[in-house]
């Protein structure tokens, strides 16, 4: 049995942040029903990146596994009534409409808790349900800029740079899943559901743990540092003979061990590098000195040598190397799924391993509406009623 077995989630989300949240819950065993508009479905099925064999994009397939797809037109009375009937037997509803849209559709928390007092409703929006920016449209790129990420990413003096992955969207989905699970635990004590509100703006702001302390503790606005660290040096990417290597000698013991392993016992005696604050103040000169030695040998040689000396170190891999790495395989971070159109699909594994109630990858992302009749039948619709809903465009 998986950790969330027995929980039913209605996933009324599109694109990335919301679907990722739903997939996290589904991976841990929840029955996640993806509620989509008939005909079009989640807009990312057709309008986000490339497709492979079928019509659905690879981006859609990546964040909607372990779900069932139900098509309902929530703008129709029949579609909304079916949704309400589903809510009566469900635990969680997640949506990522702009603030106010769920209320106009009649599926906001105030409406749904009248039907099911134990329901947990979760919203992921651009900026949250209140505040001066709440009505603005949002995007991962916009959120990264407004949350400060782009002011600290990239090389010093360079143009603004975004984090390479969609960190604002994905972290918002992660925080929302965390909030939902917290609400489920609270419901065990209180017997009541509640409303969960997060945003793709707040998620990256909440990750500024070092940057906020630099601002508040030193009165200094954080700037981009390339690969270097805000709190210790050397802790960065350094050039070797055939590429770059990440070296983290973040305390005095490791710093001296590094110098010994490199044969550079002269460096601790240099007043520029004597203490951590000195090294922080002279990071460029420190990198130049270390690279004078590192460029003499290949990355693989240095990784083996420095690991043997007890120093945290690693190569910088591209994704082709990451997903062919034996440790990635050993940790189960590449999985395969059978899809009725795409055939065998590769996907990311589950990064949280529970010893007694582990998650699992049970099915690939669903074809649009593939489970509509099955789900409607589960909640008491007859075959004639289901056919009528299809005819009238309600399902």
């Amino acid at each position: 049995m998986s950790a969330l077995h027995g929980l039913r989630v209605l996933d009324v989300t599109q694109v990335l942040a919301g679907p990722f949240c739903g997939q996290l819950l589904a991976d841990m065993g929840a029955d996640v029903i993806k509620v989509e508009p008939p005909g079009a479905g989640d807009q990312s099925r057709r309008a986000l990146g490339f497709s492979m064999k079928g019509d659905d994009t690879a981006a859609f397939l990546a964040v909607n596994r372990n779900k069932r797809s139900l098509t309902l037109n929530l703008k129709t009375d029949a579609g909304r009534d079916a949704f309400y009937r589903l809510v009566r037997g469900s635990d969680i509803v997640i949506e990522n409409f702009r603030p106010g849209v769920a209320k106009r559709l009649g599926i906001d928390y105030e409406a749904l808790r009248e039907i099911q007092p134990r329901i947990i409703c979760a919203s992921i929006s651009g900026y949250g349900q209140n505040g001066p920016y709440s009505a603005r449209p949002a995007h991962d790129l916009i959120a990264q800029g407004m949350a400060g990420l782009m002011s600290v990413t990239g090389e010093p003096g360079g143009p603004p740079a975004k984090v390479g992955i969609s960190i604002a969207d994905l972290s918002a989905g992660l925080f929302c899943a965390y909030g939902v699970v917290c609400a489920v635990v609270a419901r065990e004590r209180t017997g009541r559901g509640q409303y969960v509100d997060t945003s793709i703006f707040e998620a990256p702001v909440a990750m500024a743990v070092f940057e906020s302390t630099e601002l508040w503790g030193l009165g200094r606005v954080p700037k981009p540092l390339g690969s270097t660290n805000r709190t210790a040096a050397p802790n960065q990417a350094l050039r070797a003979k055939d590429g770059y290597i990440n070296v983290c000698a973040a305390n005095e013991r490791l710093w001296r061990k590094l110098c010994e392993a490199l044969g550079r016992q002269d460096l601790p005696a240099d007043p520029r590098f004597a203490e951590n604050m000195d090294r922080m103040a002279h990071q460029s000169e420190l990198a130049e000195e270390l690279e004078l030695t590192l460029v003499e040998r290949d990355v693989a040689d240095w990784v083996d040598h420095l690991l043997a000396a007890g120093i945290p170190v690693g190569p910088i891999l591209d994704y082709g190397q990451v997903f062919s790495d034996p440790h990635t395989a050993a940790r189960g971070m590449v999985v395969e799924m059978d899809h009725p159109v795409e055939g065998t699909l590769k996907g990311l594994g589950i990064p949280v391993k529970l010893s007694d109630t582990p998650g699992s990858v049970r099915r690939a992302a669903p074809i649009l509406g593939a489970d509509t009749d099955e789900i409607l039948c589960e909640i008491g619709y007859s075959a004639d009623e289901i056919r009528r809903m299809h005819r009238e465009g309600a399902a």
Side-chain angles (χ1 to χ4, degrees):
M1 183 180 293
S2 297
L4 302 183
H5 176 79
L7 290 179
R8 172 168 282 181
V9 180
L10 305 183
D11 178 353
V12 197
T13 70
Q14 298 200 34
V15 187
L16 185 53
F20 184 60
C21 173
Q23 180 168 287
L24 292 173
L25 300 173
D27 283 353
M28 287 301 173
D31 175 19
V32 177
I33 297 174
K34 186 171 180 67
V35 182
E36 304 182 71
D42 181 334
Q43 62 183 279
S44 69
R45 284 184 180 271
R46 306 291 184 268
L48 197 67
F50 64 93
S51 299
M52 294 182 290
K53 295 179 182 177
D55 293 329
D56 291 337
T57 65
F60 173 85
L61 298 172
V63 291
N64 286 286
R65 71 185 180 203
N66 283 337
K67 302 178 185 179
R68 298 192 285 167
S69 174
L70 163 70
T71 53
L72 283 181
N73 185 346
L74 297 176
K75 296 179 180 179
T76 67
D77 291 340
R80 198 160 41 248
D81 287 344
F83 187 80
Y84 290 157
R85 194 182 297 190
L86 266 171
V87 166
R88 292 188 184 97
S90 298
D91 300 277
I92 299 149
V93 175
I94 55 175
E95 56 90 3
N96 62 348
F97 298 116
R98 286 197 203 179
V101 172
K103 185 174 182 62
R104 289 199 296 274
L105 289 172
I107 61 167
D108 57 307
Y109 176 58
E110 297 301 322
L112 299 186
R113 71 175 179 177
E114 293 296 318
I115 299 168
Q116 161 61 294
R118 290 173 55 85
I119 199 73
I120 294 163
C121 289
S123 296
I124 305 174
S125 58
Y127 300 93
Q129 298 298 306
N130 65 302
Y133 304 149
S134 61
R136 290 187 183 185
H139 184 280
D140 179 86
L141 175 67
I142 308 300
Q144 286 200 35
M146 293 190 66
L149 286 187
M150 292 177 68
S151 74
V152 296
T153 304
E155 294 297 326
K162 69 183 287 290
V163 177
I165 63 172
S166 298
I167 190 67
D169 275 329
L170 294 171
S171 60
L174 186 60
F175 275 126
C176 189
Y178 160 72
V180 163
V181 172
C182 288
V184 169
V185 173
R187 189 177 67 179
E188 293 300 306
R189 297 195 303 269
T190 68
R192 299 187 305 276
Q194 60 182 297
Y195 183 58
V196 179
D197 170 19
T198 193
S199 70
I200 67 170
F201 167 73
E202 289 162 275
V205 169
M207 292 183 168
V209 290
F210 291 139
E211 292 70 24
S212 60
T213 54
E214 181 176 339
L215 175 66
W216 297 328
L218 299 177
R220 184 172 67 203
V221 176
K223 300 296 182 186
L225 299 175
S227 69
T228 60
N229 187 271
R230 298 195 180 279
T231 61
N235 195 350
Q236 65 188 96
L238 296 165
R239 186 188 297 275
K241 186 176 182 180
D242 63 342
Y244 283 85
I245 185 172
N246 276 326
V247 178
C248 301
N251 58 46
E252 293 304 315
R253 181 181 62 84
L254 288 173
W255 162 239
R256 293 184 180 277
K257 288 181 72 170
L258 174 65
C259 293
E260 182 179 349
L262 295 179
R264 294 298 305 272
Q265 289 87 344
D266 58 307
L267 293 179
D270 189 319
R272 296 175 299 170
F273 313 133
E275 303 289 342
N276 183 56
M277 293 306 293
D278 302 316
R279 296 191 293 275
M280 291 289 294
H282 298 92
Q283 290 201 61
S284 295
E285 299 99 308
L286 176 61
E288 289 174 6
E289 288 290 346
L290 293 172
E291 287 178 348
L292 286 174
T293 301
L294 290 169
V295 294
E296 296 174 358
R297 294 167 65 175
D298 289 343
V299 165
D301 289 342
W302 279 123
V303 169
D304 290 342
H305 179 69
L306 295 178
L307 284 176
I311 297 161
V313 62
I316 297 172
L317 305 180
D318 62 36
Y319 280 116
Q321 295 168 314
V322 170
F323 292 121
S324 61
D325 190 280
H327 189 76
T328 305
R331 293 297 292 169
M333 286 309 297
V334 178
V335 297
E336 291 188 344
M337 300 160 281
D338 292 325
H339 188 277
V341 176
E342 305 293 341
T344 301
L345 283 175
K346 286 187 176 181
L348 296 174
I350 299 173
V352 179
K353 279 71 175 174
L354 301 183
S355 62
D356 289 339
T357 56
S360 62
V361 177
R362 303 174 300 282
R363 57 191 290 178
I367 299 292
L368 178 62
D371 308 290
T372 298
D373 292 2
E374 174 187 80
I375 295 167
L376 291 176
C377 185
E378 287 174 1
I379 59 175
Y381 281 82
S382 68
D384 286 342
E385 289 173 317
I386 293 171
R387 282 192 290 270
R388 184 169 64 249
M389 289 183 70
H390 285 307
R391 265 196 323 270
E392 295 173 354

